[in-house]
């Protein structure tokens, strides 16, 4: 029998596997083997079983050894891996990286565990407190595992001493990962939730669960997880950021018990990761919760994948393999015959289109649990406000904050990340002054004499501040944008007694910090939380009755077709954050009160926004109406980008592919790298016809400026 084996060797040219032979016809796909490669034994994984020997294959070496009986990956997992390699244009080995821990894979086999038993029941000499502890513990039980003893404070060295002194005895046993079946506390769904759940249950298609904030999506997830577990299958729940998901994790611990859940996140050490991998692989976890990479958890029998907040950008991996968890989950579920549910209050335009065109089943959950009303949203036109020194605080916003302080309620103030860069804006036509080189807004800086000038960070070109707007000739130009530091200063001057928390990239170097800030808010140790993007996520604070966005449309004039969608999502998420327990209010301050994203978000009209946005995309030929590929070039970037554009255009013309091709210096990183964007019905058809040496291929890019 012939087998395709993907080895751990890094040599180029064999990253898609090599053929080996074995008389053993029972080797399954996914099996861990050792093979000889250039006179060395290397580890590998069987990715394919080739039944028939081709006549022209010769000099095929034998598989040296089968290293484990249990395949490292299941068939559906291998099929997904192969799909990833093809779709995301990467080698099988690159795709494999996300599925298995770094080699060697030898210690992925189930481990043995040590057990101890007391033989000398006399108490040890008085001085040895540690030994006494162990004797006391073991006195009343038969055998105790090392883990058990470690949990109660026993050290390895103490155990060793007691062993040599003959006080205890030791035995090695195979770890039994299959713990008892979880006892499930079934959720109590409302009528609307039950209907949604039944729709999901009946359909063979992936379901898009479109439920507004606080509609109880988590309860439906709980029911679906419970169903899978009862059938002896495993569930995977993907969340955008694991550290901000505590309340959600608690909910599932209640549901099936902590010991049946594996929480995988980026802070696990390599050792902990392996340990969890082993446990999951051997059926020791019924539910895996984690960020995008948890999709690759080695569950033996996948029953359901749930993607919470499916619209979040963190589901796209920005390193090779540059997969999107949503697309990849759809494939995995298809191969594994598992259910896929994507939940969100603000569907991505991509998913919305798929639901419209029948690829996904759309499941609506339009009301909040117990019909809590949605907060009132007030829109403040920033071009009409006389700020004085208080920019960007409008009088209505200041009044609203003061009112909350008086009532002992909390406020959350949100600033778009890019709001901290100051740009020059025309209050007449509401456009930003952009650099002719990169088409991105200039940033306003001050020279040593305090005189303002404009700088384009991507190309480095400078310009003086114009007297009039290049677009409409108005002289009503203003520098806009303010960092959180400046805003904090204004707040502490205006409200000297308010307890203020700031959450931005300066104060949050780790998601853990965000968790602590939220804890402080929840426990009532602060009045105002001021922060960037991350403030919006996972915010579930009962005493927040005011949520405000300081400058909503910073970023709107970016030449990025997803800018509007992103702002809409942020605003809608924010409106869901206020008044979870008490009636709440939302204030949106904006330079463009009439833009679709602001208007629809203010009126809680998500469907209307999505339909309009989709129409725009179809009209302009952007995803999901077309497909897009980004090529990232870092060496000799400008020249090669231009060459590639010309070459792709020529191929497109010759083959009638009707591709749109453009190139631009990358927005961040000093313009050293360049991007080439290709869009059309099938842009991938050019990839095999161009020279991609040292070029990174990004299929379905999220960042595309
Ligand atoms: P979503 O995820 O849709 O924003 P959640 O699942 O967090 O909403 O639900 C919002 C709140 O309502 C939570 O506090 C949750 O406990 C409560 N809730 C929702 N559905 C139910 C239910 N069927 N039974 C009890 N509480 C519920
Ligand atoms: Zn203008």
């Amino acid at each position: 029998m012939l087998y395709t084996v993907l080895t751990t060797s890094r040599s180029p040219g064999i990253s898609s596997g090599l053929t080996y032979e074995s008389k053993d016809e029972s080797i399954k796909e996914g099996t861990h083997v050792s093979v000889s490669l250039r006179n060395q034994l290397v580890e590998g994984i069987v990715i394919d079983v080739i039944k028939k020997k081709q006549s022209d294959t010769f000099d095929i070496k034998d598989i040296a050894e089968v290293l484990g009986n249990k395949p490292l990956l299941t068939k559906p997992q291998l099929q997904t891996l192969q799909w990833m390699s093809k779709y995301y244009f990467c080698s099988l080995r690159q795709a494999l990286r996300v599925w298995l821990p770094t080699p060697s894979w030898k210690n992925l086999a189930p481990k043995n565990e040590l057990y101890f038993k007391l033989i000398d029941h006399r108490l040890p000499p008085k001085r040895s407190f540690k030994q006494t502890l162990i004797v006391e513990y073991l006195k009343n039980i038969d055998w105790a595992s090392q883990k058990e003893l470690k949990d109660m404070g026993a050290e390895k060295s103490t155990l060793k001493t007691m062993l040599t002194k003959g006080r205890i005895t030791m035995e090695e046993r195979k770890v039994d990962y299959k713990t008892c079946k979880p006892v499930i506390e079934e959720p109590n769904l409302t009528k609307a939730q039950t209907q949604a759940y039944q729709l999901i249950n009946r359909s063979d298609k992936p379901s898009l669960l479109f439920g507004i904030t606080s509609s109880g999506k988590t309860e439906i997830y709980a029911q679906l997880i419970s169903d899978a577990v009862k059938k002896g299958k495993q569930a995977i729940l993907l969340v955008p950021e694991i550290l901000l998901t505590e309340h959600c994790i608690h909910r599932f611990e209640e549901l099936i018990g902590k010991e049946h859940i594996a929480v995988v996140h980026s802070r696990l050490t390599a050792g902990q990761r392996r340990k969890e991998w082993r446990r999951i692989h051997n059926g020791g976890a019924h539910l895996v919760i984690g960020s995008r990479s948890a999709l690759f958890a080695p569950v033996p029998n996948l029953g359901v994948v749930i993607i919470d907040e499916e619209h979040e950008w963190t589901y796209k991996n920005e390193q090779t393999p540059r997969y999107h968890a949503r697309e990849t989950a759809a494939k995995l579920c298809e191969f594994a015959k598992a259910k896929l549910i994507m939940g969100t209050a603000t569907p991505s335009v991509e998913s919305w289109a798929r639901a419209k065109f029948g690829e996904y089943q759309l499941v609506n959950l339009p009301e909040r649990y117990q019909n809590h009303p949605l907060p009132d949203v007030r829109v403040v036109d920033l071009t009409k406000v006389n700020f004085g020194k208080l920019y960007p605080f409008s009088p209505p916003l200041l009044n609203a904050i003061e009112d909350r302080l008086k009532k002992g309620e909390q406020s959350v103030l949100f600033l778009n990340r890019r709001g901290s860069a100051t740009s020059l804006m025309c209050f007449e036509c509401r456009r930003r002054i952009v650099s002719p080189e990169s088409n991105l807004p200039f940033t306003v800086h001050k020279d040593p004499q305090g005189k303002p000038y404009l700088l384009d960070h991507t190309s480095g070109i400078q310009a003086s501040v114009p007297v009039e707007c290049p677009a409409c000739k108005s002289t009503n130009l203003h520098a806009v944008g303010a960092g959180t530091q400046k805003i904090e200063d204004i707040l502490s001057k205006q409200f000297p007694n308010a307890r203020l928390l700031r959450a931005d990239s300066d104060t949050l170097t780790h998601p853990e910090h965000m968790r602590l800030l939220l804890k402080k808010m929840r426990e009532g140790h602060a009045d105002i939380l001021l922060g960037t993007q991350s403030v919006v996520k996972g915010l579930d604070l009962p005493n927040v009755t005011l949520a405000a966005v300081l400058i909503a449309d910073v970023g709107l004039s970016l030449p990025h077709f997803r800018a509007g969608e992103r702002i809409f999502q942020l605003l809608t998420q924010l409106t869901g954050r206020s008044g979870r327990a008490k009636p709440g209010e939302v204030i949106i301050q904006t330079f463009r009160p009439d833009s679709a994203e602001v208007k629809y978000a203010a009126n809680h009209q998500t469907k209307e926004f999505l339909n309009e946005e989709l129409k725009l995309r179809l009209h302009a030929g952007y995803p999901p109406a077309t497909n897009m590929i980004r090529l990232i070039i870092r060496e000799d970037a400008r020249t090669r980008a231009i060459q590639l554009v010309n070459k792709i255009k020529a191929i497109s013309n010759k083959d009638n592919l009707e591709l749109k091709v453009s190139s631009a210096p990358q927005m961040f990183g000093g313009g050293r790298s360049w991007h080439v964007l290709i869009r059309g019905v099938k842009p991938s058809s050019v990839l095999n016809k161009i020279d991609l040496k040292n070029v990174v291929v990004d299929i379905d890019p999220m960042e595309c400026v």
Side-chain angles (χ1 to χ4, degrees):
M1 191 84 94
L2 293 182
Y3 297 96
T4 310
V5 175
L6 194 57
T7 65
T8 54
S9 157
R10 293 238 176 86
S11 343
I14 57 165
S15 56
S16 289
L18 291 168
T19 307
Y20 287 88
E21 190 167 16
S22 176
K23 290 196 185 62
D24 184 351
E25 302 211 337
S26 67
I27 301 177
K28 292 195 208 75
E29 284 131 334
T31 303
H32 183 203
V33 294
S34 123
V35 293
S36 144
L37 181 72
R38 295 192 198 96
N39 298 324
Q40 268 190 326
L41 279 183
V42 294
E43 285 178 57
I45 177 171
V46 174
I47 49 165
D48 221 350
V49 179
I50 313 162
K51 298 264 150 53
K52 242 171 68 197
K53 193 167 174 170
Q54 279 147 344
S55 52
D56 56 349
T57 43
F58 57 95
D59 192 24
I60 293 178
K61 291 199 197 95
D62 277 349
I63 287 182
E65 195 186 347
V66 174
L67 294 174
N69 314 329
K70 186 175 169 162
L72 293 176
L73 295 175
T74 62
K75 180 120 195 224
Q77 289 166 342
L78 280 168
Q79 285 170 305
T80 310
L81 178 140
Q82 278 162 338
W83 172 83
M84 283 172 87
S85 154
K86 276 203 199 87
Y87 187 80
Y88 290 111
F89 217 76
C90 63
S91 70
L92 284 169
R93 186 182 300 124
Q94 284 170 327
L96 186 66
R97 254 191 244 159
V98 296
W99 291 92
L100 292 182
T102 43
S104 159
W105 300 323
K106 280 186 182 141
N107 52 7
L108 292 181
K111 273 247 166 100
N112 290 345
E113 204 174 3
L114 297 177
Y115 279 76
F116 298 89
K117 182 188 167 83
L118 194 65
I119 38 180
D120 184 351
H121 282 251
R122 285 173 303 169
L123 281 182
K126 271 205 187 89
R127 276 169 293 135
S128 177
F129 169 72
K130 286 178 185 164
Q131 291 193 27
T132 312
L133 196 76
I134 293 171
V135 171
E136 290 291 349
Y137 186 80
L138 288 176
K139 225 160 54 184
N140 305 315
I141 44 174
D142 200 18
W143 288 89
S145 69
Q146 183 167 17
K147 185 178 174 302
E148 215 177 322
L149 289 166
K150 198 175 146 206
D151 286 349
M152 53 144 296
E155 279 164 31
K156 243 187 189 162
S157 56
T158 321
L159 289 170
K160 214 168 151 189
T161 316
M162 292 176 75
L163 271 174
T164 40
K165 292 208 170 130
R167 293 181 175 280
I168 54 172
T169 179
M170 183 180 84
E171 164 179 308
E172 207 174 333
R173 298 184 197 167
K174 270 223 149 47
V175 175
D176 184 12
Y177 290 94
K178 294 236 171 45
T179 46
C180 54
K181 243 190 150 170
V183 182
I184 299 176
E185 278 281 333
E186 288 270 340
N188 240 328
L189 298 186
T190 63
K191 208 168 146 208
Q193 290 165 353
T194 307
Q195 277 172 356
Y197 158 73
Q198 283 170 345
L199 277 177
I200 294 171
N201 218 12
R202 272 190 237 120
S203 173
D204 291 331
K205 289 181 191 173
S207 292
L208 177 64
L209 174 59
F210 171 31
I212 63 168
T213 43
S214 282
S215 57
K217 294 185 286 295
T218 320
E219 296 306 304
I220 295 180
Y221 301 162
Q223 186 62 56
L224 292 160
I225 292 167
S226 150
D227 290 353
V229 173
K230 273 189 277 174
K231 282 187 213 146
K233 298 186 175 194
Q234 295 85 36
I236 295 178
L237 170 67
L238 302 186
V239 294
E241 168 55 70
I242 194 81
L243 283 168
L244 301 180
T245 320
E246 248 174 60
H247 63 286
C248 176
I249 296 176
H250 281 311
R251 174 70 191 92
F252 296 113
E253 287 175 353
E254 256 172 43
L255 181 76
I256 62 170
K258 197 172 172 152
E259 67 278 21
H260 300 293
I261 301 178
V263 178
V264 289
H265 52 82
S266 55
R267 279 187 315 156
L268 293 182
T269 62
Q272 289 169 327
R273 200 171 291 273
R274 262 167 212 281
K275 209 168 146 198
E276 280 303 72
W277 198 95
R278 261 196 310 262
R279 179 160 81 98
I280 300 168
H281 188 224
N282 288 290
H286 295 90
L287 168 64
V288 180
I289 306 180
S291 45
R292 60 174 179 264
S293 63
L295 182 64
F296 308 110
V299 295
N301 191 3
L302 182 65
V304 62
V305 174
I306 297 164
I307 307 181
D308 190 28
E309 311 285 358
E310 68 84 26
H311 61 277
E312 280 290 342
W313 289 37
T314 52
Y315 287 123
K316 175 77 159 68
N317 195 28
E318 294 296 353
Q319 275 162 2
T320 309
R322 293 176 167 260
Y323 67 88
H324 197 296
R326 200 200 303 129
E327 315 310 313
T328 314
K331 281 293 158 187
L332 178 64
C333 288
E334 182 188 320
F335 294 132
K337 300 193 172 44
K339 279 201 159 313
L340 173 62
I341 293 90
M342 295 156 281
T344 174
T346 51
S348 60
V349 178
E350 263 92 354
S351 296
W352 185 249
R354 287 184 185 152
K356 285 210 122 173
F357 300 127
E359 197 179 328
Y360 297 163
Q361 173 187 227
L362 181 64
V363 180
N364 288 296
L365 206 52
E367 259 146 44
R368 286 183 145 187
Y369 177 62
Q370 292 185 329
N371 280 318
H372 281 302
L374 281 163
D376 286 331
V377 182
R378 217 176 339 159
V379 177
V380 175
D381 184 346
L382 287 173
T383 62
K384 303 239 158 75
V385 179
N386 198 350
F387 290 106
K389 285 207 159 71
L390 295 175
Y391 175 87
F393 287 92
S394 66
L397 177 58
L398 289 171
N399 290 341
I401 299 173
E402 185 159 7
D403 180 53
R404 295 311 176 304
L405 288 171
K406 276 192 195 136
K407 288 192 199 145
E409 295 173 353
Q410 295 172 311
S411 307
V412 168
L413 308 180
F414 164 73
L415 183 74
N416 200 330
R417 180 164 52 91
R418 294 192 179 123
S420 51
T422 308
S423 53
L424 195 66
M425 182 153 188
C426 168
F427 276 17
E428 209 54 50
C429 67
R430 298 170 193 250
R431 286 195 181 93
R432 258 152 233 275
I433 313 303
V434 298
S435 155
E437 180 75 11
S438 65
N439 262 331
L440 296 170
F442 272 121
T443 313
V444 183
H445 288 261
K446 280 193 179 141
D447 69 12
Q449 282 77 45
K451 197 173 156 238
Y453 66 93
L454 303 177
L455 175 68
D456 172 0
H457 280 278
T458 62
S459 65
I461 68 162
Q462 294 186 5
S464 52
V465 175
V467 191
E468 56 183 36
C469 168
C472 74
K473 308 289 171 218
S474 159
T475 53
N476 197 3
L477 302 182
H478 299 265
V480 297
T484 43
Q485 179 64 56
K486 181 184 162 201
I487 288 169
E488 188 178 355
D489 293 346
I490 297 176
L491 277 174
S492 40
K493 266 203 204 112
Q494 290 293 304
F495 309 109
N497 296 323
R499 294 163 302 167
L500 191 63
L501 290 179
R502 180 156 69 100
D504 59 17
S505 52
D506 293 335
T507 56
L508 297 178
T509 46
H510 199 283
E512 177 71 15
H513 297 156
M514 187 65 209
R515 198 180 66 84
L516 292 175
L517 285 186
L518 292 181
K519 191 159 168 264
K520 270 197 187 159
M521 283 291 277
R522 192 166 292 123
E523 290 169 358
H525 298 308
D527 305 306
I528 302 173
L529 175 62
L530 164 67
T532 45
Q533 240 94 333
S534 48
V535 166
V536 178
K537 292 181 198 163
L539 209 68
D540 183 6
L541 302 167
N543 203 27
V544 170
T545 56
L546 172 67
V549 53
L550 296 174
I551 314 171
D553 39 4
V554 178
L556 267 189
S557 37
L558 286 177
H560 189 318
F561 74 93
R562 284 198 175 94
E565 176 183 9
R566 199 170 205 178
I567 287 164
F568 178 82
Q569 287 165 356
L570 284 170
L571 294 179
T572 303
Q573 294 291 328
L574 194 82
T575 60
R577 297 306 157 200
S578 173
R580 287 210 137 190
K582 302 176 190 172
E585 184 188 13
V586 171
I587 296 181
I588 299 175
Q589 301 197 122
T590 170
F591 288 109
R592 301 163 107 179
D594 294 327
S595 65
E597 38 281 319
V598 173
K599 227 171 46 197
Y600 288 124
N603 293 313
H604 311 292
Q605 288 175 306
T606 303
K607 273 187 192 162
E608 288 76 1
F609 171 77
L610 286 167
N611 286 336
E612 186 162 325
E613 180 67 22
L614 185 57
K615 227 182 345 186
L616 279 178
R617 302 264 185 101
L618 293 171
H619 183 73
Y622 275 105
T626 54
N627 291 305
M628 192 179 250
I629 292 177
R630 173 174 68 153
L631 306 177
I632 305 165
I633 306 132
R634 301 209 172 94
E635 279 167 41
D636 202 6
R638 190 191 169 105
T639 319
R640 280 205 72 195
I642 293 165
Q643 279 168 356
L644 277 168
V645 170
N646 290 337
K647 175 88 187 173
I648 296 165
K649 278 187 179 156
I651 297 172
S652 172
N653 282 341
K654 190 168 142 270
D655 298 353
N656 244 333
L657 299 174
E658 296 182 22
L659 298 178
K660 293 225 164 26
V661 199
S662 63
S663 66
Q666 201 191 1
M667 197 166 119
F668 305 105
R672 251 168 285 131
S673 71
W674 275 62
H675 292 177
V676 171
L677 290 175
I678 320 166
R679 67 190 154 100
V681 178
K682 204 166 178 275
S684 57
S685 49
V686 295
L687 291 179
N688 283 319
K689 298 175 185 161
I690 51 179
D691 174 17
L692 290 174
K693 193 158 176 269
N694 294 330
V695 172
V696 175
V697 178
D698 187 11
I699 306 285
D700 305 334
M702 290 303 277
E703 299 287 351
C704 42
V705 277

